[in-house]
Amino acid sequence: MAKEAKKDPQELTVEQKLKALFQLQTMLSKIDEIKTLRGELPLEVQDLEDEIAGLSTRIDRIKAEVSELKSAIAGKKVEIETAKASVAKYKDQQDNVRNNREYDFLSKEIEFQTLEIELCEKRIKEFAEQEAEKSNEVADSTAALDERVKDLEVKKSELDEIVSETKQEEEKLRDKAKELETKIEPRLLQSFKRIRKNSRNGLGVVYVQRDACGGCFNKIPPQRQLDIRSRKKIIVCEYCGRIMIDPELAGICPEIKVEVPKEKPTRAKRKIVHIGSED
């Protein structure tokens, strides 16, 4: 038996389009429920990953600064040794000077090199303090990084567990949703997606509930309800813009209003008293 050819979405009746839209809405709402089950875990995982990346970058930067400080300290120590050697050389030369001019020149050089030694020692002390401070920062940041890594492992484990439980169901729902989308004309599908995106609860198609819109709960005039039940054209809520559908078409049993008959008030029997009677 040959398979029935799929109808062009443009050839579907309004009733068929509305039914396909409501079925698509049902699939997407179930997917939203699965996402809600995951809660804020995906965002928490992303935030932790960003924080870990930031801490790692910070630690690498501080370590580079510590390395530079160590190099600077080593350089100043070399300068001190050079200055000390110059002082010793100049002192030896002072013993063999021929006049006061040479002696004064050597004395000034010794004084200058001595000041250079003192300045280098001061810089070494400053660099050592900065190095200790930076090393403490590295230690604190590393401890914070370790804590964040542990938190990330826990959150990822929770997320993976939830995803593994719902992945198969979500994939089936997405496949059904994609199949339904092929039955809906592109323009109507685009409008539905836009409405759904702008609604807080993700509903793009709603049915009438208690004579009101199932999305914004504003009252719907009787004539409007007749138009919705007629299924001859697509009706949208004039308040929230959602597509309206007849509850019966959505597979929802309509609410039956049961009127309770009012009891007639009982009249009290009046006692007739005859004037002049012996009673």
Side-chain angles (χ1 to χ4, degrees):
M1 184 176 178
K3 290 184 179 179
E4 186 180 352
K6 289 185 179 180
K7 288 186 177 181
D8 185 354
Q10 299 285 350
E11 297 177 359
L12 296 176
T13 64
V14 172
E15 181 175 338
Q16 289 172 328
K17 290 177 182 178
L18 288 170
K19 192 169 184 179
L21 274 176
F22 188 77
Q23 289 174 344
L24 178 59
Q25 174 67 74
T26 303
M27 296 295 121
L28 296 177
S29 294
K30 288 180 180 178
I31 293 172
D32 289 341
E33 288 176 8
I34 292 173
K35 289 180 179 178
T36 303
L37 180 63
R38 294 172 188 165
E40 299 295 325
L41 277 175
L43 292 176
E44 290 176 10
V45 167
Q46 184 62 53
D47 290 342
L48 283 170
E49 288 176 343
D50 293 341
E51 189 175 354
I52 287 170
L55 283 170
S56 298
T57 303
R58 174 182 170 81
I59 290 169
D60 291 340
R61 177 176 56 79
I62 297 173
K63 283 182 176 179
E65 292 174 358
V66 170
S67 180
E68 289 176 3
L69 288 168
K70 287 181 177 179
S71 298
I73 290 171
K76 291 300 177 184
K77 287 180 177 179
V78 171
E79 289 181 20
I80 288 173
E81 293 302 320
T82 302
K84 286 181 177 179
S86 297
V87 168
K89 183 180 70 171
Y90 294 144
K91 285 183 176 179
D92 289 341
Q93 290 176 359
Q94 276 183 332
D95 295 335
N96 301 315
V97 295
R98 291 171 293 182
N99 52 51
N100 291 335
R101 185 179 176 182
E102 289 182 5
Y103 185 86
D104 292 340
F105 173 77
L106 292 171
S107 296
K108 287 181 180 179
E109 285 296 323
I110 292 170
E111 183 181 357
F112 175 76
Q113 293 299 329
T114 302
L115 290 173
E116 281 293 315
I117 292 170
E118 292 176 358
L119 182 60
C120 286
E121 289 174 344
K122 182 180 179 181
R123 289 286 181 266
I124 288 173
K125 185 178 179 180
E126 291 174 355
F127 292 157
E129 290 175 355
Q130 292 177 23
E131 182 190 349
E133 185 179 343
K134 297 290 183 184
S135 296
N136 289 334
E137 287 184 27
V138 169
D140 293 341
S141 298
T142 302
L145 178 62
D146 292 340
E147 288 295 324
R148 295 298 176 272
V149 168
K150 290 178 183 177
D151 293 340
L152 179 61
E153 289 175 355
V154 172
K155 295 295 181 182
K156 271 190 171 181
S157 177
E158 292 177 7
L159 181 59
D160 291 342
E161 185 178 352
I162 294 174
V163 169
S164 64
E165 291 175 356
T166 58
K167 185 179 180 181
Q168 190 173 1
E169 182 184 358
E170 185 178 357
E171 287 177 352
K172 287 181 180 178
L173 290 170
R174 289 192 183 279
D175 290 340
K176 289 180 181 178
K178 286 180 181 178
E179 185 179 350
L180 283 169
E181 286 181 359
T182 60
K183 299 179 181 179
I184 304 168
E185 59 183 280
R187 187 177 175 183
L188 180 60
L189 180 62
Q190 186 178 359
S191 298
F192 163 74
K193 287 183 176 180
R194 187 184 68 252
I195 295 168
R196 187 172 181 274
K197 184 179 179 181
N198 293 332
S199 63
R200 285 184 295 180
N201 55 8
L203 294 178
V205 180
V206 293
Y207 54 87
V208 180
Q209 301 180 46
R210 298 178 183 270
D211 299 330
C213 170
C216 63
F217 306 108
N218 280 297
K219 286 290 182 181
I220 302 172
Q223 183 57 47
R224 200 72 167 170
Q225 294 187 46
L226 286 174
D227 293 337
I228 294 169
R229 284 196 293 270
S230 68
R231 307 172 189 176
K232 292 181 179 179
K233 59 181 179 179
I234 294 176
I235 307 295
V236 298
C237 177
E238 59 184 359
Y239 299 101
C240 65
R242 291 179 174 89
I243 298 171
M244 305 292 298
I245 187 173
D246 181 23
E248 290 184 6
L249 185 60
I252 308 298
C253 295
E255 296 175 354
I256 300 174
K257 295 181 180 179
V258 180
E259 293 185 2
V260 180
K262 296 180 180 180
E263 295 183 1
K264 294 182 179 180
T266 56
R267 294 182 179 179
K269 293 182 179 180
R270 292 181 296 175
K271 187 177 180 181
I272 301 173
V273 180
H274 296 282
I275 299 173
S277 62
E278 292 179 359
D279 297 335

